[in-house]
Amino acid sequence: MKYVDEFRDPQLIRNVAGEIARSVDPNHEYRIMEVCGGHTHAIYRHGLQDVLPENLRLVHGPGCPVCVLPTGRVDDGLSIAEHPGVILTAFGDMMRVPGTRGTPLELKARGADIRMVYSPLDALRLAQNEPTKHVCFFAIGFETTAPSTALTLLRAKALGVRNFSIFCNHVTIVPAIRAILESPDMRLDGFIGPGHVSTVSGCRPYEFIARDYGKPVVVAGFEPLDLLEAILMVVRQLNAKEAKVENQYRRIVPWEGNMPALRAMSDVFELRPYFEWRGLGFISQSALKLLPAYAAWDAEVQFEIPGVRVTDPRAAQCGEVLKGVLRPPQCKLFGKECNPEHPVGALMVSSEGACAAYYRYVRYEDDAANAQPVTS
Amino acid sequence: MCLAIPGRIVAFDEEQPLLAKVDVAGIKRNINVGLLVDQPLAVGDWILIHVGFAMSKIEAEQAEDQLRMLKALGEDRLAMDEVRGYAFE
Amino acid sequence: MDILERPPGEVRFRDPQIEMAHGAGGKLTRRLIEGLILPLLRNPVLAPLSDSAVFDMNGVRVATTADAYVVKPLRFAGGSIGELAVNGTVNDLAVAGAHPVGLMATFILEAGLRGDDLRLEVEAVASAARRAGVAIFGGDTKVVEHGFADGMYVSTFGIGTVDPRARLDARAVRAGDRILLSGPIGDHGITILLARGELDLEADTLVSDTRSVLPFVDALLDSAAAGLRWMRDPTRGGVATALNELASECALGIAIFEDAIPLRDEVRGACEILGLDPLHIANEGQLLAVVAAEEADVALEAMQAVPGGERAACIGEVRTAPAKTVLAHNGYGGSRAVDMLVGDPLPRIC
């Protein structure tokens, strides 16, 4: 696969890994946060921690839209599916996320019409094909996904499709990064910036991290070579006592972002005064909602939404893991009460969540050291 | 967040110019290119796909530069090691 | 051995309702079987939880299997429900080291099913049975009201005699044994996912891999019976789930090499688009086998010589640790644990 395989080249990966090993100061404990859940997944999927020096730890950030969605919002979304004649559509990622009364899949098993879609456009097409039903799209995601919802909504309006609505849960990444930086127990050296969010927002929004907090930020791609190169760039900045925003993912990310995408977003969305993030609490100006001009397609206007806040189980230490204070296995519930089949906390919910990825890919860590390879 | 992968444009929809047929390793899907209206797009171009939308046009030159630089990283190191090797002999 | 003199075990299955995931062949399926069915029905033949039951009948080693097919759509690129039912049943017997003697097929039909569709499926059953060299001895037909089945379901029973050369037991697996795979993975699962049309993805040349794996089993028994320890056809839950079951049955570690796993471009492309792991995707015509190291080369050559086995490969080996874990190693020193499937493989956007 072009633009994939070249960036998984074993020789080049070893080159860059070797360069990282030679560049780190052996007396310093490096803690670099990859903000984006896609990065978290890629790091585990490709076993990158195995090729990094012992004293360089990747800390998993809050960039997993499924994980940070509070239980109350899941309940709100699922309540829409209980209205007669409604088809609730969602991405596959949402289907196993537990609300108070079960997951979308469990509700579906009890008879609710909940369907998985690959694209919001598929939800719109379903509405056109099912004129007697109302199709609601459970929108989640950061700046990468928000423009897709925006274009779908603009298209629904242009086509005059009235049996379609959006339950908007789009969030923005910068306020969450700021919340982590403001957290008193935060100890991070630098950041790997979210590559796909940056295709939309560009690299400027991270400048405050370098300017106000003195931390390097390198916007990175998702292949092993991209991530390793970005880590090397962060280490080099730290070695040079620099703090700036750099773009490792130049083949994809324009420095200024994507104007049509930003325009589409400002056409249909406005910032919510505040929004609850699972594990992080309420963060102001961190989420999007539909502008009043689109009330006819806004599920929060069209349906009675309970809007009840549900507190996370006290024992789950998602917030500490999200902020990089604890590693997943240090949480009291990890792997016991909380596992991918029965997620208690946010980070076990999606395959991008730090805990789910850790559970899936490195549970064996302690015995792996004792493994005896039989062949070379 | 945001799984997105590269694909190649193989055709445009005659009735809907914002719809491109995109190929990923032999799998094809119609992709909306409405977010790339401010740049020229042609059959053969590579784009990044996310939830049925093109997010970005892939810059081949940037990719080649990056790979060239990373290859050089190894070669420089080998050259340095050789020089060092002579020094210790 | 009196198989009926056993008190029921403790039922640990507490799930409030049955979900689709209980049928996906992953962890929930296992929990249902081990937590509910096994304790209530337990006996020594059932205990190993393999795809076939193997027991002695008047001095003959017999294997039996029962299976049900509920695929949607009924017909897809490269096969159909009727063909799947025969091949799947034959394969469950084959991986137990048995030669099928006969099958039974029960058709559960939804009122409103088109006669032509039924005729096509009965023809598919007949021709698949002919290809596999097995007879259909009987079966049953039931019709349920419109809306109470999805077109048609096929339920099968198969019986075969175990090849005396087959000495299969997961507990006989040793560190150093090799893991062989008959061909590219995920073809069936991705073909079905695309055939459902919900994702709007097209593939030009991808077809289901449904076929009988008997020729592969024969090739292994002819070439390396002494070193053949374990076989499985990795259907629901994919290669990952089958290897995890092996790892827990033999209490050793399984190491696989990502670069060695045969995979078609289209399956890889679909998995990249949808964020799925090909190791979790269903196959309907592949064979996984564990063979002693000294016989592995001969066994692999024999598999590659079977028509349709050109891409058979050695994908990994058995190691002492980490016990009960499947690890996938890549070409640059990284590794990841490969978990069993949890629920159905769901496309993801993040």
PDB file of all heavy atoms in Angstrom, chain A residues 19 22 38 63 119 122 142 144-145 196 229 248 251-252 258 352, chain B residues 1-2 16 29 35 38 50-51 55-56 58-60 66 69 74 77:
ATOM      1  N   GLU A  19      18.697   6.211  16.321  1.00  0.00           N
ATOM      2  CA  GLU A  19      19.010   7.630  16.486  1.00  0.00           C
ATOM      3  C   GLU A  19      18.372   8.170  17.782  1.00  0.00           C
ATOM      4  O   GLU A  19      18.982   8.976  18.494  1.00  0.00           O
ATOM      5  CB  GLU A  19      18.514   8.399  15.258  1.00  0.00           C
ATOM      6  CG  GLU A  19      19.076   9.794  15.086  1.00  0.00           C
ATOM      7  CD  GLU A  19      20.595   9.843  14.904  1.00  0.00           C
ATOM      8  OE1 GLU A  19      21.161   8.868  14.377  1.00  0.00           O
ATOM      9  OE2 GLU A  19      21.188  10.856  15.311  1.00  0.00           O
ATOM     10  N   ARG A  22      20.422   7.018  20.690  1.00  0.00           N
ATOM     11  CA  ARG A  22      21.675   7.760  20.833  1.00  0.00           C
ATOM     12  C   ARG A  22      21.449   9.199  21.273  1.00  0.00           C
ATOM     13  O   ARG A  22      22.336   9.824  21.830  1.00  0.00           O
ATOM     14  CB  ARG A  22      22.448   7.752  19.507  1.00  0.00           C
ATOM     15  CG  ARG A  22      23.136   6.422  19.239  1.00  0.00           C
ATOM     16  CD  ARG A  22      23.961   6.495  17.964  1.00  0.00           C
ATOM     17  NE  ARG A  22      23.105   6.610  16.792  1.00  0.00           N
ATOM     18  CZ  ARG A  22      22.666   5.564  16.093  1.00  0.00           C
ATOM     19  NH1 ARG A  22      23.006   4.345  16.444  1.00  0.00           N
ATOM     20  NH2 ARG A  22      21.892   5.731  15.050  1.00  0.00           N
ATOM     21  N   GLY A  38      -5.609   7.845  18.155  1.00  0.00           N
ATOM     22  CA  GLY A  38      -5.133   7.113  16.981  1.00  0.00           C
ATOM     23  C   GLY A  38      -3.653   6.798  17.114  1.00  0.00           C
ATOM     24  O   GLY A  38      -3.188   5.727  16.715  1.00  0.00           O
ATOM     25  N   GLY A  63      -7.169  12.130  23.569  1.00  0.00           N
ATOM     26  CA  GLY A  63      -7.724  12.285  22.233  1.00  0.00           C
ATOM     27  C   GLY A  63      -8.459  11.085  21.700  1.00  0.00           C
ATOM     28  O   GLY A  63      -8.213  10.622  20.604  1.00  0.00           O
ATOM     29  N   SER A 119     -20.077   6.501   7.424  1.00  0.00           N
ATOM     30  CA  SER A 119     -19.960   7.924   7.159  1.00  0.00           C
ATOM     31  C   SER A 119     -21.276   8.605   7.518  1.00  0.00           C
ATOM     32  O   SER A 119     -22.339   8.013   7.363  1.00  0.00           O
ATOM     33  CB  SER A 119     -19.665   8.123   5.665  1.00  0.00           C
ATOM     34  OG  SER A 119     -19.836   9.480   5.310  1.00  0.00           O
ATOM     35  N   ASP A 122     -23.845   8.379   4.897  1.00  0.00           N
ATOM     36  CA  ASP A 122     -24.641   7.152   4.824  1.00  0.00           C
ATOM     37  C   ASP A 122     -25.913   7.299   5.653  1.00  0.00           C
ATOM     38  O   ASP A 122     -26.974   6.785   5.289  1.00  0.00           O
ATOM     39  CB  ASP A 122     -23.838   5.941   5.320  1.00  0.00           C
ATOM     40  CG  ASP A 122     -22.594   5.678   4.476  1.00  0.00           C
ATOM     41  OD1 ASP A 122     -22.452   6.316   3.424  1.00  0.00           O
ATOM     42  OD2 ASP A 122     -21.774   4.841   4.879  1.00  0.00           O
ATOM     43  N   PHE A 142     -13.372  14.635  17.031  1.00  0.00           N
ATOM     44  CA  PHE A 142     -12.686  15.913  17.179  1.00  0.00           C
ATOM     45  C   PHE A 142     -12.773  16.687  15.860  1.00  0.00           C
ATOM     46  O   PHE A 142     -13.632  16.406  15.024  1.00  0.00           O
ATOM     47  CB  PHE A 142     -11.222  15.654  17.572  1.00  0.00           C
ATOM     48  CG  PHE A 142     -11.069  15.258  19.006  1.00  0.00           C
ATOM     49  CD1 PHE A 142     -11.222  13.942  19.408  1.00  0.00           C
ATOM     50  CD2 PHE A 142     -10.795  16.216  19.977  1.00  0.00           C
ATOM     51  CE1 PHE A 142     -11.089  13.580  20.742  1.00  0.00           C
ATOM     52  CE2 PHE A 142     -10.666  15.868  21.315  1.00  0.00           C
ATOM     53  CZ  PHE A 142     -10.806  14.543  21.701  1.00  0.00           C
ATOM     54  N   THR A 144     -11.211  16.475  13.245  1.00  0.00           N
ATOM     55  CA  THR A 144     -11.089  15.665  12.028  1.00  0.00           C
ATOM     56  C   THR A 144     -12.464  15.300  11.486  1.00  0.00           C
ATOM     57  O   THR A 144     -12.708  15.333  10.287  1.00  0.00           O
ATOM     58  CB  THR A 144     -10.353  14.340  12.341  1.00  0.00           C
ATOM     59  OG1 THR A 144      -9.306  14.613  13.246  1.00  0.00           O
ATOM     60  CG2 THR A 144      -9.830  13.705  11.076  1.00  0.00           C
ATOM     61  N   THR A 145     -13.350  14.928  12.392  1.00  0.00           N
ATOM     62  CA  THR A 145     -14.649  14.378  12.012  1.00  0.00           C
ATOM     63  C   THR A 145     -15.721  15.452  11.901  1.00  0.00           C
ATOM     64  O   THR A 145     -16.673  15.305  11.122  1.00  0.00           O
ATOM     65  CB  THR A 145     -15.061  13.299  13.040  1.00  0.00           C
ATOM     66  OG1 THR A 145     -13.911  12.514  13.354  1.00  0.00           O
ATOM     67  CG2 THR A 145     -16.134  12.386  12.491  1.00  0.00           C
ATOM     68  N   HIS A 196      -4.228  14.064  12.340  1.00  0.00           N
ATOM     69  CA  HIS A 196      -5.408  14.201  11.494  1.00  0.00           C
ATOM     70  C   HIS A 196      -6.286  15.382  11.898  1.00  0.00           C
ATOM     71  O   HIS A 196      -6.919  16.005  11.056  1.00  0.00           O
ATOM     72  CB  HIS A 196      -6.170  12.877  11.420  1.00  0.00           C
ATOM     73  CG  HIS A 196      -5.397  11.832  10.642  1.00  0.00           C
ATOM     74  ND1 HIS A 196      -5.498  10.488  10.866  1.00  0.00           N
ATOM     75  CD2 HIS A 196      -4.470  11.972   9.647  1.00  0.00           C
ATOM     76  CE1 HIS A 196      -4.672   9.835  10.035  1.00  0.00           C
ATOM     77  NE2 HIS A 196      -4.046  10.715   9.306  1.00  0.00           N
ATOM     78  N   GLU A 229       9.890   9.330  14.131  1.00  0.00           N
ATOM     79  CA  GLU A 229      10.545  10.572  13.718  1.00  0.00           C
ATOM     80  C   GLU A 229      10.074  11.732  14.600  1.00  0.00           C
ATOM     81  O   GLU A 229      10.866  12.578  15.014  1.00  0.00           O
ATOM     82  CB  GLU A 229      10.258  10.887  12.248  1.00  0.00           C
ATOM     83  CG  GLU A 229      11.118  12.052  11.762  1.00  0.00           C
ATOM     84  CD  GLU A 229      10.787  12.518  10.355  1.00  0.00           C
ATOM     85  OE1 GLU A 229       9.762  12.088   9.778  1.00  0.00           O
ATOM     86  OE2 GLU A 229      11.555  13.347   9.834  1.00  0.00           O
ATOM     87  N   GLN A 248       5.856  17.211  11.575  1.00  0.00           N
ATOM     88  CA  GLN A 248       6.515  16.028  11.009  1.00  0.00           C
ATOM     89  C   GLN A 248       5.726  15.479   9.825  1.00  0.00           C
ATOM     90  O   GLN A 248       6.267  14.785   8.978  1.00  0.00           O
ATOM     91  CB  GLN A 248       6.639  14.949  12.106  1.00  0.00           C
ATOM     92  CG  GLN A 248       7.267  13.622  11.676  1.00  0.00           C
ATOM     93  CD  GLN A 248       6.301  12.674  10.971  1.00  0.00           C
ATOM     94  OE1 GLN A 248       5.096  12.699  11.201  1.00  0.00           O
ATOM     95  NE2 GLN A 248       6.840  11.841  10.087  1.00  0.00           N
ATOM     96  N   ARG A 251       3.522  15.693   4.535  1.00  0.00           N
ATOM     97  CA  ARG A 251       2.890  15.179   3.310  1.00  0.00           C
ATOM     98  C   ARG A 251       1.365  15.278   3.395  1.00  0.00           C
ATOM     99  O   ARG A 251       0.677  15.215   2.393  1.00  0.00           O
ATOM    100  CB  ARG A 251       3.320  13.740   3.038  1.00  0.00           C
ATOM    101  CG  ARG A 251       2.793  12.712   4.033  1.00  0.00           C
ATOM    102  CD  ARG A 251       3.297  11.300   3.682  1.00  0.00           C
ATOM    103  NE  ARG A 251       2.775  10.279   4.578  1.00  0.00           N
ATOM    104  CZ  ARG A 251       3.275   9.970   5.757  1.00  0.00           C
ATOM    105  NH1 ARG A 251       4.337  10.631   6.216  1.00  0.00           N
ATOM    106  NH2 ARG A 251       2.741   9.014   6.496  1.00  0.00           N
ATOM    107  N   ILE A 252       0.846  15.432   4.598  1.00  0.00           N
ATOM    108  CA  ILE A 252      -0.606  15.456   4.796  1.00  0.00           C
ATOM    109  C   ILE A 252      -1.078  16.787   5.378  1.00  0.00           C
ATOM    110  O   ILE A 252      -2.128  17.294   5.006  1.00  0.00           O
ATOM    111  CB  ILE A 252      -1.031  14.319   5.775  1.00  0.00           C
ATOM    112  CG1 ILE A 252      -0.676  12.935   5.228  1.00  0.00           C
ATOM    113  CG2 ILE A 252      -2.501  14.424   6.129  1.00  0.00           C
ATOM    114  CD1 ILE A 252      -1.612  12.374   4.204  1.00  0.00           C
ATOM    115  N   ASN A 258      -7.055  23.381   6.834  1.00  0.00           N
ATOM    116  CA  ASN A 258      -7.923  23.237   5.666  1.00  0.00           C
ATOM    117  C   ASN A 258      -9.048  24.273   5.731  1.00  0.00           C
ATOM    118  O   ASN A 258      -9.985  24.140   6.515  1.00  0.00           O
ATOM    119  CB  ASN A 258      -8.483  21.804   5.659  1.00  0.00           C
ATOM    120  CG  ASN A 258      -9.423  21.554   4.493  1.00  0.00           C
ATOM    121  OD1 ASN A 258     -10.189  22.424   4.087  1.00  0.00           O
ATOM    122  ND2 ASN A 258      -9.373  20.349   3.962  1.00  0.00           N
ATOM    123  N   GLU A 352      -9.131   2.681  21.053  1.00  0.00           N
ATOM    124  CA  GLU A 352      -8.138   3.739  21.135  1.00  0.00           C
ATOM    125  C   GLU A 352      -7.846   4.155  22.550  1.00  0.00           C
ATOM    126  O   GLU A 352      -6.923   4.889  22.806  1.00  0.00           O
ATOM    127  CB  GLU A 352      -8.702   4.994  20.465  1.00  0.00           C
ATOM    128  CG  GLU A 352      -8.451   5.025  19.043  1.00  0.00           C
ATOM    129  CD  GLU A 352      -8.572   6.442  18.550  1.00  0.00           C
ATOM    130  OE1 GLU A 352      -8.871   7.347  19.326  1.00  0.00           O
ATOM    131  OE2 GLU A 352      -8.340   6.613  17.373  1.00  0.00           O
TER     132      GLU A 352
ATOM    133  N   MET B   1      -7.762   8.908  17.775  1.00  0.00           N
ATOM    134  CA  MET B   1      -8.995   9.362  17.135  1.00  0.00           C
ATOM    135  C   MET B   1      -8.733   9.510  15.664  1.00  0.00           C
ATOM    136  O   MET B   1      -7.602   9.726  15.256  1.00  0.00           O
ATOM    137  CB  MET B   1      -9.416  10.683  17.747  1.00  0.00           C
ATOM    138  CG  MET B   1      -8.726  11.927  17.221  1.00  0.00           C
ATOM    139  SD  MET B   1      -8.890  13.222  18.381  1.00  0.00           S
ATOM    140  CE  MET B   1      -7.261  13.843  18.413  1.00  0.00           C
ATOM    141  N   CYS B   2      -9.730   9.363  14.867  1.00  0.00           N
ATOM    142  CA  CYS B   2      -9.600   9.781  13.492  1.00  0.00           C
ATOM    143  C   CYS B   2      -8.740   8.864  12.660  1.00  0.00           C
ATOM    144  O   CYS B   2      -7.627   9.190  12.280  1.00  0.00           O
ATOM    145  CB  CYS B   2      -9.016  11.177  13.396  1.00  0.00           C
ATOM    146  SG  CYS B   2      -9.366  12.186  14.799  1.00  0.00           S
ATOM    147  N   GLN B  16     -22.158  14.102  -9.972  1.00  0.00           N
ATOM    148  CA  GLN B  16     -21.796  14.814  -8.750  1.00  0.00           C
ATOM    149  C   GLN B  16     -20.286  15.008  -8.730  1.00  0.00           C
ATOM    150  O   GLN B  16     -19.542  14.145  -8.283  1.00  0.00           O
ATOM    151  CB  GLN B  16     -22.221  14.011  -7.521  1.00  0.00           C
ATOM    152  CG  GLN B  16     -23.714  13.786  -7.427  1.00  0.00           C
ATOM    153  CD  GLN B  16     -24.068  13.058  -6.138  1.00  0.00           C
ATOM    154  OE1 GLN B  16     -23.729  13.514  -5.048  1.00  0.00           O
ATOM    155  NE2 GLN B  16     -24.723  11.927  -6.253  1.00  0.00           N
ATOM    156  N   ARG B  29     -14.374   2.965  -3.019  1.00  0.00           N
ATOM    157  CA  ARG B  29     -15.540   3.599  -2.410  1.00  0.00           C
ATOM    158  C   ARG B  29     -15.695   4.996  -2.974  1.00  0.00           C
ATOM    159  O   ARG B  29     -14.703   5.624  -3.342  1.00  0.00           O
ATOM    160  CB  ARG B  29     -15.391   3.679  -0.896  1.00  0.00           C
ATOM    161  CG  ARG B  29     -16.722   4.049  -0.210  1.00  0.00           C
ATOM    162  CD  ARG B  29     -16.582   4.229   1.287  1.00  0.00           C
ATOM    163  NE  ARG B  29     -17.860   4.041   1.966  1.00  0.00           N
ATOM    164  CZ  ARG B  29     -18.757   5.006   2.167  1.00  0.00           C
ATOM    165  NH1 ARG B  29     -18.520   6.226   1.719  1.00  0.00           N
ATOM    166  NH2 ARG B  29     -19.905   4.761   2.803  1.00  0.00           N
ATOM    167  N   LEU B  35     -14.210  18.923   0.890  1.00  0.00           N
ATOM    168  CA  LEU B  35     -13.295  19.668   1.760  1.00  0.00           C
ATOM    169  C   LEU B  35     -12.016  20.070   1.016  1.00  0.00           C
ATOM    170  O   LEU B  35     -11.165  20.754   1.570  1.00  0.00           O
ATOM    171  CB  LEU B  35     -12.921  18.830   2.989  1.00  0.00           C
ATOM    172  CG  LEU B  35     -14.086  18.480   3.929  1.00  0.00           C
ATOM    173  CD1 LEU B  35     -13.632  17.519   5.024  1.00  0.00           C
ATOM    174  CD2 LEU B  35     -14.681  19.744   4.559  1.00  0.00           C
ATOM    175  N   ASP B  38     -10.708  23.916  -2.730  1.00  0.00           N
ATOM    176  CA  ASP B  38      -9.806  25.028  -3.059  1.00  0.00           C
ATOM    177  C   ASP B  38      -8.497  24.558  -3.687  1.00  0.00           C
ATOM    178  O   ASP B  38      -7.553  25.314  -3.783  1.00  0.00           O
ATOM    179  CB  ASP B  38      -9.521  25.879  -1.810  1.00  0.00           C
ATOM    180  CG  ASP B  38      -8.877  25.074  -0.704  1.00  0.00           C
ATOM    181  OD1 ASP B  38      -8.836  23.821  -0.839  1.00  0.00           O
ATOM    182  OD2 ASP B  38      -8.404  25.666   0.274  1.00  0.00           O
ATOM    183  N   HIS B  50     -11.255   9.894   5.443  1.00  0.00           N
ATOM    184  CA  HIS B  50     -11.781   9.709   6.806  1.00  0.00           C
ATOM    185  C   HIS B  50     -13.302   9.772   6.736  1.00  0.00           C
ATOM    186  O   HIS B  50     -13.850  10.722   6.166  1.00  0.00           O
ATOM    187  CB  HIS B  50     -11.219  10.814   7.705  1.00  0.00           C
ATOM    188  CG  HIS B  50     -11.823  10.859   9.083  1.00  0.00           C
ATOM    189  ND1 HIS B  50     -11.623   9.859  10.009  1.00  0.00           N
ATOM    190  CD2 HIS B  50     -12.611  11.776   9.686  1.00  0.00           C
ATOM    191  CE1 HIS B  50     -12.275  10.183  11.137  1.00  0.00           C
ATOM    192  NE2 HIS B  50     -12.878  11.336  10.958  1.00  0.00           N
ATOM    193  N   VAL B  51     -13.971   8.778   7.266  1.00  0.00           N
ATOM    194  CA  VAL B  51     -15.443   8.656   7.282  1.00  0.00           C
ATOM    195  C   VAL B  51     -16.111   9.106   5.973  1.00  0.00           C
ATOM    196  O   VAL B  51     -17.132   9.787   5.980  1.00  0.00           O
ATOM    197  CB  VAL B  51     -16.109   9.338   8.511  1.00  0.00           C
ATOM    198  CG1 VAL B  51     -15.579   8.769   9.807  1.00  0.00           C
ATOM    199  CG2 VAL B  51     -15.924  10.850   8.515  1.00  0.00           C
ATOM    200  N   MET B  55      -9.758  14.384   3.341  1.00  0.00           N
ATOM    201  CA  MET B  55      -9.336  15.397   4.310  1.00  0.00           C
ATOM    202  C   MET B  55      -8.194  16.244   3.773  1.00  0.00           C
ATOM    203  O   MET B  55      -7.998  17.372   4.204  1.00  0.00           O
ATOM    204  CB  MET B  55      -8.835  14.727   5.602  1.00  0.00           C
ATOM    205  CG  MET B  55      -9.816  13.798   6.273  1.00  0.00           C
ATOM    206  SD  MET B  55     -11.321  14.650   6.751  1.00  0.00           S
ATOM    207  CE  MET B  55     -10.663  15.899   7.839  1.00  0.00           C
ATOM    208  N   SER B  56      -7.420  15.666   2.877  1.00  0.00           N
ATOM    209  CA  SER B  56      -6.179  16.317   2.502  1.00  0.00           C
ATOM    210  C   SER B  56      -5.632  15.640   1.256  1.00  0.00           C
ATOM    211  O   SER B  56      -5.865  14.457   1.036  1.00  0.00           O
ATOM    212  CB  SER B  56      -5.199  16.158   3.682  1.00  0.00           C
ATOM    213  OG  SER B  56      -3.916  16.568   3.331  1.00  0.00           O
ATOM    214  N   ILE B  58      -2.377  14.330  -0.653  1.00  0.00           N
ATOM    215  CA  ILE B  58      -1.057  13.913  -0.182  1.00  0.00           C
ATOM    216  C   ILE B  58       0.029  14.495  -1.081  1.00  0.00           C
ATOM    217  O   ILE B  58      -0.043  14.401  -2.303  1.00  0.00           O
ATOM    218  CB  ILE B  58      -0.954  12.376  -0.120  1.00  0.00           C
ATOM    219  CG1 ILE B  58      -2.068  11.838   0.794  1.00  0.00           C
ATOM    220  CG2 ILE B  58       0.408  11.944   0.398  1.00  0.00           C
ATOM    221  CD1 ILE B  58      -2.140  10.342   0.899  1.00  0.00           C
ATOM    222  N   GLU B  59       1.018  15.126  -0.450  1.00  0.00           N
ATOM    223  CA  GLU B  59       2.099  15.762  -1.185  1.00  0.00           C
ATOM    224  C   GLU B  59       3.225  14.760  -1.391  1.00  0.00           C
ATOM    225  O   GLU B  59       4.000  14.470  -0.478  1.00  0.00           O
ATOM    226  CB  GLU B  59       2.635  16.974  -0.397  1.00  0.00           C
ATOM    227  CG  GLU B  59       1.590  18.050  -0.121  1.00  0.00           C
ATOM    228  CD  GLU B  59       1.208  18.795  -1.399  1.00  0.00           C
ATOM    229  OE1 GLU B  59       1.973  18.731  -2.379  1.00  0.00           O
ATOM    230  OE2 GLU B  59       0.138  19.434  -1.410  1.00  0.00           O
ATOM    231  N   ALA B  60       3.331  14.234  -2.624  1.00  0.00           N
ATOM    232  CA  ALA B  60       4.321  13.199  -2.916  1.00  0.00           C
ATOM    233  C   ALA B  60       5.736  13.676  -2.609  1.00  0.00           C
ATOM    234  O   ALA B  60       6.558  12.941  -2.054  1.00  0.00           O
ATOM    235  CB  ALA B  60       4.212  12.777  -4.373  1.00  0.00           C
ATOM    236  N   GLN B  66      10.944  13.244   3.104  1.00  0.00           N
ATOM    237  CA  GLN B  66      11.018  12.671   4.450  1.00  0.00           C
ATOM    238  C   GLN B  66      11.766  11.338   4.402  1.00  0.00           C
ATOM    239  O   GLN B  66      12.677  11.097   5.200  1.00  0.00           O
ATOM    240  CB  GLN B  66       9.607  12.450   5.001  1.00  0.00           C
ATOM    241  CG  GLN B  66       9.612  11.904   6.426  1.00  0.00           C
ATOM    242  CD  GLN B  66       8.268  11.308   6.822  1.00  0.00           C
ATOM    243  OE1 GLN B  66       7.269  11.453   6.124  1.00  0.00           O
ATOM    244  NE2 GLN B  66       8.252  10.625   7.957  1.00  0.00           N
ATOM    245  N   MET B  69      15.453  11.742   3.749  1.00  0.00           N
ATOM    246  CA  MET B  69      16.159  12.248   4.922  1.00  0.00           C
ATOM    247  C   MET B  69      16.382  11.130   5.954  1.00  0.00           C
ATOM    248  O   MET B  69      17.443  11.036   6.563  1.00  0.00           O
ATOM    249  CB  MET B  69      15.328  13.366   5.546  1.00  0.00           C
ATOM    250  CG  MET B  69      16.127  14.382   6.292  1.00  0.00           C
ATOM    251  SD  MET B  69      14.977  15.533   7.035  1.00  0.00           S
ATOM    252  CE  MET B  69      14.154  14.490   8.228  1.00  0.00           C
ATOM    253  N   GLY B  74      20.553   7.011   8.527  1.00  0.00           N
ATOM    254  CA  GLY B  74      21.272   5.765   8.737  1.00  0.00           C
ATOM    255  C   GLY B  74      22.644   5.797   8.074  1.00  0.00           C
ATOM    256  O   GLY B  74      23.632   5.342   8.642  1.00  0.00           O
ATOM    257  N   ARG B  77      25.135   7.852   9.873  1.00  0.00           N
ATOM    258  CA  ARG B  77      25.582   7.149  11.067  1.00  0.00           C
ATOM    259  C   ARG B  77      26.633   6.112  10.713  1.00  0.00           C
ATOM    260  O   ARG B  77      27.664   6.010  11.364  1.00  0.00           O
ATOM    261  CB  ARG B  77      24.346   6.499  11.718  1.00  0.00           C
ATOM    262  CG  ARG B  77      24.584   5.792  13.004  1.00  0.00           C
ATOM    263  CD  ARG B  77      25.199   6.646  14.066  1.00  0.00           C
ATOM    264  NE  ARG B  77      24.410   7.823  14.408  1.00  0.00           N
ATOM    265  CZ  ARG B  77      24.775   8.706  15.336  1.00  0.00           C
ATOM    266  NH1 ARG B  77      25.899   8.545  16.001  1.00  0.00           N
ATOM    267  NH2 ARG B  77      24.028   9.763  15.596  1.00  0.00           N
TER     268      ARG B  77
END
